[in-house]
Amino acid sequence: MEPEVMKAEMVLAPTLPFKKVQTADKYPKGQSRGRQWKHLRYLLQAADASTMPPDQPNYLNIQSPPSIYPPKRYCDITGFEAPYVDPRTKLRYTDPEVFKQIRMLPDEYVQRYLALRNAAVVLR
Amino acid sequence: MPSLTRPSRQTDFARFSSSTPIVIDNGSSTFRIGWAGEAEPRVSFRNVVQRPRHRSTGETVSIVGDTDPPLMKFFDCTRSALRSPFDDDVVYQFEYMEYILDYAFDRLGATSEVGHPILMTECECNPSFSRARMAELLFETYGVPSIAFGVDNAFSYKYNQKLGNCGEDGLVVSCEHGTCHVVPFLKGQPVLGACCRTNVGGFHVTDFLRQLLSLKYPYHTASITWEKAEELKKEHCYVALDYMSELHTFKNNKEEAEEKTRYWQLPWIPPPKEELPSEEELARKAALKEKAGQRLREMAAQKRSQKIAGLEEKISSLEELLEQLDEADEDEAAAILGRSGYLSPQEIKSDILKCTQALRKAKGESNGNEDKSDVSGADKYPLLSVPDETLTPEQLKEKKKQQFLKTTTEGKMRAKQKRAEEEALKEKQEEQRRAENPELYLEELRARYSELSEKFEQRKRQKVGGSHTNGNHSSSGGVGRGERLNAAQKERMRLLTSAAFDRGKGEDTFGARDEDWLVYNKMSKDNDDDGNDDDESELVRIASKLKEIDPTFVSKSEVIQLTPEAPKYRPLTAEDYKISIGIERFRCPEVLFQPGMIGIDQAGIDEMVSISLRRLMEDESVKERLCQSILVTGGSSLFPGMIPRLESGIRQFRPYLAPLKLVRAADPILDAWRGAAAFAASSKFGKQTFTLADYREHGENLFHRYNIVYTL
């Protein structure tokens, strides 16, 4: 290790005196651990939903419901109010100038703009 | 956030008695750890881990918290992004959590063991598996005697209640890193059954800003890092009181919009001005060049002399061999031949001849070019002057060859001379005409030029393959196989395909006529521009002439070449490196109020208050009381304009003229830790904790109904 790195104490020491089980023992080196963890979604489905009574608050049922207002539509490019939707790219736009811009956009950018509001086409 | 320095190790860990609790605010953006009863956390750092590979040793290391960018050059971070143990606000990756806790206890100064009770914050209604694994980690890896978990917003509320900012009954509106919460409080206890969570937070604001900017400035994507976006957000973003009218302002009122727009100038170095090299520089360069040339010449001379010496040596050895052969009798001669690798003395002789020729060639070159040109016919063709009788059959053959060569070269020379004479005559005539009538001559020249260039253009167009004539194809965008070929190539393709498919159809009469064979000529690849060369050279000649006499003349080919390259040459200015943040300043924080903007179908923070009140099974008077003590906390509540906007938003859901009072927490970021530290310092804290024995007895069930009492 370089002296600067040592001085800044950036790197976590491999063994720490206050630990009962060292990291190296828990996660042995060289063994592929793969993906041990699961996404929170699956963990929640597996754990809480079945064991918790529905009248008790739990992580899932304290989520807020969708808004009672209809969602407002904003231009994907400029952020202004968008009365129009481009039928080809499905991007919302506010005026003809933005429309021209949209038609010039490469497909990758269209998808990235759509992904901003979670509307991109995801191929699985 | 490079200004955030890495925390140093605390030295007074041993000073605290083992009953003093350690207080940890495990927030999804920042981790804070300190001692119960103190006013400030001892250590706080960003709650992230990265595991890059150390470049020189090749081992994977763990780095917790923010890092110093200059030091990162020692690590290979290509496969390690920043990782957080959190998903939204729940800890779910306990390997990362362990690295973070390691670092935290190390910074706090722990040396032998962490023998202190721990109070750790968690989110509202933390799932029990998360609590269980956290407790497991603390008990089994760190040997912690007892643990208590509490909700951070509750601690924040209690702390502000103590400060007098809010009453016993109230509401907390908390905008955190990954989520927003609204929690009602009755008699100082949070009512978790009525609380409300939306999965939008400061993280989403920053990420939205980062993505918007990198989409707006695709060339600067590398500069727009997450850390930079965070910095910009903290510095420039604000919450609009009325989003729609603010949008309207930005759209229609250019001056006001310009006033509100902020610019971020990226480092830009003006391109160096091209200075003409000085005299000295030029001289130096010339000298260098001359030196290099000299060296090359020397090397070449050396090589040549080596070659000559080698050849001479070979010739002498071969001659020696021949002499030996002459002297020796038959048996010995065979042995000598076998040794030398030749089959017969004739072969040796021919080899000597070859070598002498090569030698002459090498020597002739070394003598320089001038005497090569005037090598007389006798020297060049030495055999021609020798009578046939004295020559061997081989030499006779050689003589014939030389004769042929001589006649052809002489013929060529004569033709060349003739052509030169013709050219000179033509030039003379032209000159004469020009002298007689310069105007007319110029006119003629111009006409000829335009004619030729027209012809040239046309041929070029033909070669490109008629893409000019049927423009409707190119407008449709698709360039098919046929359009990429020129006319000649197309013809060739046609011939090849027809040749391939015609086979076996009827009687094969190919070759009956001589013209049939011309097909191969067309099929062969390199039959492009042969006729063009003459025209082209003529065109160039006329152009150069025109340039000489006509100052207004501009060559067409030059014009054509210049136009398409022109847009490339716009130099980049500082303007291109300026990133403007206008509408983004309030568009990004708006996601807290309208999560639909980033595709999250949940209510915004103003509406969440009404949802929470609806979930609360109390009568209207209680709700009215709650609304008079609304505490706004969490890092994202620091946006300017947050409180007024929240107030107007909440008012929309409340009865007309219902009283409303919003207070921002004393310190929205640190209050949770301070409240927790005060709570842990209380003498009754011990009753709220659970130990390893409790956990062993009940297991995960311990956490299903686990709720601490906040009012001690």
Side-chain angles (χ1 to χ4, degrees), chain A residues 1-2 4-5 8-12 16-21 23 26-27 33 37-38 40 43-44 47-48 56-59 61-69 72 74-81 94 109 112-113 116-118, chain B residues 6 9 54 56 61-62 71-72 74 87 89-90 92-93 95 98-99 102 105 107 110-112 125 127 129 137 140-141 192 196-199 211 214-215 218 243-244 247 251 583 587 594 597-599 602-603 607 611 615 652-653:
Chain A
M1 295 274 165
E2 289 76 7
E4 302 100 291
V5 178
E9 295 183 316
M10 264 172 78
V11 175
L12 205 60
L16 292 160
F18 53 82
K19 286 181 80 173
K20 278 181 159 178
V21 186
T23 321
K26 212 181 217 178
Y27 308 109
R33 294 200 297 281
W37 46 273
K38 295 181 181 101
L40 184 61
L43 290 171
L44 287 170
D48 274 355
Q56 287 288 316
N58 62 41
Y59 188 76
N61 67 16
I62 63 167
Q63 284 204 78
S64 43
S67 173
I68 53 165
Y69 293 119
K72 289 202 179 78
Y74 299 105
C75 176
D76 284 309
I77 315 292
T78 59
F80 296 124
E81 253 188 301
T94 179
Y109 279 82
R112 280 175 67 189
Y113 271 115
L116 275 185
R117 56 177 167 91
N118 223 351
Chain B
R6 294 179 65 77
R9 182 184 278 119
H54 188 249
S56 53
V61 296
S62 324
L71 286 181
M72 288 316 282
F74 298 117
D87 191 353
D89 52 356
V90 178
Y92 80 123
Q93 293 205 26
E95 192 189 334
E98 189 175 336
Y99 296 129
D102 277 357
F105 288 129
R107 293 294 95 181
T111 46
S112 55
C125 301
F129 69 84
L137 182 67
E140 284 167 12
T141 308
L192 290 178
C196 179
R197 184 190 73 240
T198 293
N199 297 330
Q211 296 206 35
S214 68
L215 279 167
Y243 189 64
M244 290 329 258
L247 277 183
K251 192 164 191 187
I583 188 172
R587 183 181 173 189
Q594 303 181 38
M597 280 169 72
I598 52 170
Q602 282 188 303
E607 203 181 333
I611 292 166
R615 283 180 180 173
Q652 285 176 22
F653 297 98

Side-chain angles (χ1 to χ4, degrees), chain B residues 488-502 518-524:
Chain B
Q489 282 170 327
K490 262 188 200 164
E491 176 66 10
R492 184 169 161 263
M493 288 308 289
R494 194 188 64 76
L495 283 171
L496 282 176
T497 45
S498 66
F501 287 108
D502 277 355
L518 288 177
V519 158
Y520 286 110
N521 218 359
K522 278 185 193 163
M523 276 193 201
S524 79

Side-chain angles (χ1 to χ4, degrees), chain B residues 150-311:
Chain B
V151 176
D152 48 358
N153 290 324
F155 289 129
S156 182
Y157 187 82
K158 296 307 285 183
Y159 185 73
N160 279 287
Q161 190 187 337
K162 214 180 278 173
L163 290 179
N165 288 337
C166 46
E168 203 171 39
D169 300 342
L171 268 172
V172 164
V173 178
S174 167
C175 309
E176 298 140 37
H177 184 67
T179 49
C180 287
H181 282 98
V182 171
V183 190
F185 283 78
L186 284 176
K187 302 191 179 68
Q189 260 314 94
V191 187
L192 290 178
C195 79
C196 179
R197 184 190 73 240
T198 293
N199 297 330
V200 172
F203 169 82
H204 300 91
V205 177
T206 308
D207 207 51
F208 193 44
L209 179 65
R210 184 182 64 82
Q211 296 206 35
L212 279 180
L213 287 181
S214 68
L215 279 167
K216 200 163 146 193
Y217 300 97
Y219 291 112
H220 302 309
T221 308
S223 321
I224 305 164
T225 57
W226 204 89
E227 284 76 13
K228 189 68 205 179
E230 179 91 7
E231 203 183 314
L232 289 173
K233 176 188 89 172
K234 284 180 181 164
E235 205 169 329
H236 298 299
C237 283
Y238 65 94
V239 176
L241 183 57
D242 183 346
Y243 189 64
M244 290 329 258
S245 74
E246 191 80 6
L247 277 183
H248 204 70
T249 314
F250 260 78
K251 192 164 191 187
N252 300 323
N253 192 341
K254 287 280 177 280
E255 285 116 57
E256 208 179 324
E258 184 61 30
E259 210 172 278
K260 284 186 173 170
T261 303
R262 297 286 178 274
Y263 294 100
W264 168 35
Q265 179 70 54
L266 286 175
W268 175 73
I269 305 140
K273 274 194 185 134
E274 293 221 350
E275 280 176 29
L276 283 175
S278 64
E279 288 281 308
E280 278 171 52
E281 192 78 353
L282 281 176
R284 206 168 56 84
K285 270 189 184 157
L288 271 181
K289 211 171 168 184
E290 176 59 33
K291 222 176 180 177
Q294 188 69 34
R295 212 176 52 229
L296 276 181
R297 274 198 292 277
E298 268 165 23
M299 268 164 67
Q302 206 182 353
K303 208 171 165 188
R304 205 180 307 134
S305 67
Q306 266 175 12
K307 196 178 165 192
I308 287 169
L311 279 170

Side-chain angles (χ1 to χ4, degrees), chain B residues 8 19 50 78-79 111 158 204 236 257 363 376 397 419 429 433-434 450 456 464 471 475 526 560 591 593 627:
Chain B
S8 57
S19 61
Q50 47 184 325
T78 44
R79 287 180 60 188
T111 46
K158 296 307 285 183
H204 300 91
H236 298 299
K363 274 187 177 165
S376 63
K397 228 186 254 170
R419 220 180 302 144
Q429 280 173 351
R433 269 199 311 190
R434 187 182 159 190
S450 60
F456 192 63
V464 173
S475 68
D526 35 316
I560 290 160
V591 301
F593 294 90
C627 282

Side-chain angles (χ1 to χ4, degrees), chain B residues 645-692:
Chain B
R645 169 67 190 271
L646 207 51
E647 191 171 341
S648 78
I650 295 169
R651 206 174 282 283
Q652 285 176 22
F653 297 98
R654 296 294 303 153
Y656 180 63
L657 286 182
L660 196 62
K661 189 174 162 247
L662 278 87
V663 191
R664 178 176 287 167
D667 184 341
I669 291 172
L670 281 177
D671 274 354
W673 187 87
R674 288 179 182 141
F679 176 80
S682 145
S683 56
K684 290 176 196 149
F685 172 68
K687 291 204 177 117
Q688 305 297 330
T689 58
F690 60 94
T691 60
L692 182 57

Side-chain angles (χ1 to χ4, degrees), chain B residues 337-358:
Chain B
L337 275 178
R339 251 182 287 137
S340 64
Y342 287 98
L343 287 176
S344 64
Q346 274 78 15
E347 207 176 324
I348 298 177
K349 275 178 197 159
S350 69
D351 213 17
I352 290 178
L353 200 69
K354 258 185 223 162
C355 283
T356 32
Q357 272 168 0

Side-chain angles (χ1 to χ4, degrees), chain B residues 402-417:
Chain B
Q402 284 182 1
Q403 211 157 15
F404 174 72
L405 274 175
K406 196 182 168 189
T407 44
T408 45
T409 41
E410 274 170 4
K412 266 185 205 162
M413 288 282 278
R414 246 176 274 136
K416 209 172 164 185
Q417 211 173 347

